Amino acid sequence: MTSPQRPGASRRTVLTALAAATVGAPVLAQLAAATPAAAADRYASNTALYQALAGQEGTTFGRRYRRHERTDTRPDTVYPFPRTAVLALHGGGIETGTSELCLAVAGYSPRDPEGAPILSETHDYWMFEGLMSSGNKEALHVTASHCDDHVALATAAGHLNVLSLHGCTFDSLGLPLPADGDRRMAVVGGLNADFRAALVAELTAAGFPAVDAFDPAHAAGLTEFNGDHPLNPCNRTMLGRGAQLELTTELRTSLFGDASSRSRRAETWDEPGAALIPFRDACRRAIATVEAAQPIL
C-alpha cells in the first residue's frame, strides 16, 4: 500500500522544497529530500532495509526479478521490445497475493516461477517479498515513493509502462459498502490516465469491482491510494507515468483456492473457483490496449 499523504508530504510542499533546494542538485534527490519517511515504516528506504538486515535475504526477505533477453542483430529487421513491466513492491507476506499475481500477469505460473512461461507473451517483472511467518508488513514495508532498489528502478526506467501491484483493506479506502456487501475492490491509480481507463474497463467487464482513484466521485478520499507521487516506481517509466492497483484483502483472497500461506497460494491459484486467471487476463488485456497505441517503429 502506498503511504498516506500527510500535510508535510503534499505536492505543494514538494514543489516548495524543490524551489529552495541547492541549484544544480539532482531533481530526484531533491524530491526525495522533500518527502518525509512514512511514519509506519521501520526503514526509510530499501537500501536502509538491506543494510540493517544484511545476511537475511532468503530468510527474512527476498527479491526476485526477470529481465528477458532481447536482441536485434540484423540491420534490416525490427524485433519486438518489451514495453511493460510488472512490479510487486510488497510481495510475500507483506501484501499477500501480489507476488503470485505479479508472476501470473508477467506470463509465469506461481507454482513454477523458474519454469518456462505459460503464456506466449511475457513481461519483465520485479518483486520484493516478506518471508517471515508473521509480522512482515510491520517489519518490512517500505512505502512506494521510497523504493530505491536499483533493479526495481532500472526495470521501471527501461519500460514505457509499469503495472505495480499493491494490497489494502476495504475499510482503509473509506468507500461506501455496496448493497450486496461485496468488499472486493481494485483502486486503479498511477499517472497514466489511458492505462487507468483500460484497467477499470477490463476489470469491471471481468466482474471485478474497480474505481479510478482520480474519478471526482472518489478522488477526495483516495489520495492515499492514487499512486500520483513522481517517485512511485509505477511513474518512473520512460514516459514518467504508469499504473498501479490497490487490491483489497477480500479481492486478493478470492484469487486463490486457499490464500492462507505462500505455499497454498502457489498451489491453488488455478483451482476451480479461484479468480486469479480471469483477473490476470483482464490486466493483460489492459496492457495490450495501452501497448497497441505505442508501436515500436
Side-chain angles (χ1 to χ4, degrees):
M1 187 175 71
T2 51
S3 64
Q5 183 173 339
R6 286 167 290 281
S10 70
R11 195 173 291 142
R12 178 175 299 175
T13 300
V14 171
L15 293 175
T16 301
L18 283 176
T22 303
V23 175
V27 172
L28 291 180
Q30 295 177 40
L31 279 169
T35 306
D41 287 350
R42 183 171 298 179
Y43 302 106
S45 66
N46 286 69
T47 294
L49 184 151
Y50 301 153
Q51 291 173 343
L53 302 181
Q56 298 183 42
E57 184 160 6
T59 54
T60 299
F61 70 92
R63 290 176 282 182
R64 288 189 279 174
Y65 71 91
R66 190 184 296 252
R67 302 291 298 271
H68 297 85
E69 182 180 6
R70 299 289 196 278
T71 58
D72 182 350
T73 58
R74 298 186 53 173
D76 59 342
T77 306
V78 176
Y79 284 85
F81 195 79
R83 285 167 281 179
T84 303
V86 189
L87 305 181
L89 305 184
H90 307 134
I94 303 172
E95 292 170 358
T96 58
T98 57
S99 291
E100 294 80 11
L101 184 58
C102 178
L103 289 166
V105 174
Y108 292 87
S109 167
R111 184 181 297 110
D112 183 21
E114 295 186 56
I118 59 175
L119 298 175
S120 58
E121 184 174 354
T122 59
H123 299 288
D124 293 351
Y125 66 81
W126 180 91
M127 64 181 75
F128 174 86
E129 300 177 285
L131 304 180
M132 301 187 298
S133 59
S134 62
N136 287 276
K137 187 173 182 66
E138 296 77 11
L140 300 172
H141 183 280
V142 174
T143 198
S145 60
H146 295 164
C147 176
D148 63 352
D149 182 285
H150 75 278
V151 179
L153 299 186
T155 300
H159 291 77
L160 297 175
N161 317 297
V162 159
L163 177 60
S164 188
L165 305 169
H166 297 265
C168 64
T169 65
F170 183 87
D171 291 339
S172 67
L173 298 176
L175 296 172
L177 184 66
D180 62 3
D182 188 356
R183 295 168 67 89
R184 296 177 306 146
M185 179 59 67
V187 175
V188 185
L191 293 178
N192 189 325
D194 293 335
F195 203 170
R196 295 200 313 269
L199 285 163
V200 170
E202 292 292 350
L203 290 171
T204 301
F208 299 99
V211 297
D212 187 329
F214 291 85
D215 183 336
H218 311 293
L222 293 177
T223 56
E224 178 180 342
F225 305 95
N226 67 14
D228 71 342
H229 200 291
L231 294 187
N232 185 322
C234 80
N235 297 321
R236 296 182 70 167
T237 67
M238 295 172 68
L239 301 176
R241 58 186 182 270
Q244 74 170 31
L245 294 176
E246 290 276 6
L247 310 176
T248 62
T249 304
E250 290 79 11
L251 195 157
R252 286 176 284 128
T253 299
S254 75
L255 301 180
F256 308 94
D258 181 353
S260 62
S261 67
R262 293 175 67 242
S263 61
R264 293 302 297 153
R265 290 191 296 275
E267 289 300 319
T268 66
W269 68 273
D270 56 353
E271 283 188 354
L276 190 145
I277 291 177
F279 194 95
R280 172 200 71 185
D281 292 348
C283 291
R284 287 175 64 90
R285 286 192 297 270
I287 291 171
T289 296
V290 173
E291 289 187 347
Q294 300 169 331
I296 303 297
L297 300 178

